[in-house]
Amino acid sequence: MKNIVILISGSGSNMAAIVRTAQQEDWARRYGARVAAVLSNKADAAGLAFARGEGIATEALDHKAFDSREAFDTALAQAVDRYEPALVVLAGFMRILTPGFVARYAGRLINIHPSLLPAFTGLNTHQRAIDAGCKVAGVTVHQVTDELDVGPILDQAVVPVLPGDTAEALATRVQAQEHVIYPRAVRAFMAALA
């Protein structure tokens, strides 16, 4: 069985979309793949309760308990490695990972970003798209490299920017597309390994 490990920091809505899709499409039978574990840097992350309810292993490592980013990433990698991942999925994991962590999972570490990369890397993407007068915005699934939000693009979805849009309204429409393309990108990755 090829294991998927998902890292979250909050509600885990993208993680939940991946888990539900894996169950509905029977990835275990079709691709020999399963979501093996969900890890978080916050013990109170709501997504951990969802994962436990689905019978998925969970762990929480508080990044504040470590002296440095490197020390946290070393402990995180040890936790991830316990599940022998074929793929590590960042799904709302709100930590910038160290180059050592990224290198350890090179080619099998993916992230989702709420813009049409290469536009609007970093934060506040929805407001920045509105402020720039964009007619469309969207979401990108990409491989993670040691440069923030610039890895190879795996999938994208376009969302219109509507007249009078707020960042919150645009974010809601973008997130609906996230829940479509992130499971699709993970499925494609696992199917390629099958």
Side-chain angles (χ1 to χ4, degrees):
M1 190 65 62
K2 292 180 285 299
N3 289 336
I4 301 164
V5 174
I6 303 178
L7 307 183
I8 65 170
S9 291
S11 68
S13 68
N14 276 308
M15 172 272 298
I18 293 166
V19 168
R20 287 187 187 111
T21 301
Q23 292 167 343
Q24 291 165 357
E25 297 179 356
D26 197 1
W27 289 2
R29 183 184 55 77
R30 292 175 69 187
Y31 310 115
R34 68 179 180 140
V35 177
V38 175
L39 281 61
S40 180
N41 62 313
K42 296 184 176 184
D44 62 350
L48 292 175
F50 171 85
R52 281 192 294 272
E54 297 300 315
I56 298 168
T58 63
E59 293 188 40
L61 289 88
D62 182 359
H63 63 275
K64 295 176 185 172
F66 294 86
D67 293 336
S68 67
R69 188 176 297 277
E70 291 76 14
F72 172 73
D73 279 10
T74 297
L76 180 63
Q78 290 169 348
V80 168
D81 286 349
R82 282 195 283 276
Y83 302 96
E84 300 177 3
L87 180 64
V88 180
V89 176
L90 306 179
F93 188 66
M94 302 307 291
R95 302 282 303 158
I96 295 175
L97 297 164
T98 58
F101 188 95
V102 171
R104 182 184 198 104
Y105 302 105
R108 56 190 177 116
L109 179 63
I110 63 175
N111 187 34
I112 193 160
H113 183 75
S115 79
L116 291 173
L117 292 175
F120 307 116
T121 60
L123 300 175
N124 304 314
T125 58
H126 307 301
Q127 189 61 54
R128 290 165 56 206
I130 292 168
D131 292 347
C134 294
K135 299 296 184 200
V136 296
V139 58
T140 304
V141 178
H142 64 95
Q143 286 190 353
V144 177
T145 64
D146 57 5
E147 191 174 348
L148 188 65
D149 297 332
V150 299
I153 293 170
L154 303 176
D155 205 341
Q156 290 183 306
V158 176
V159 174
V161 178
L162 303 176
D165 247 345
T166 63
E168 294 77 20
L170 180 56
T172 298
R173 289 197 313 283
V174 168
Q175 189 175 56
Q177 289 304 306
E178 291 177 15
H179 296 165
V180 172
I181 74 162
Y182 216 178
R184 184 170 72 198
V186 173
R187 177 197 314 117
F189 189 97
M190 300 315 288
L193 296 178

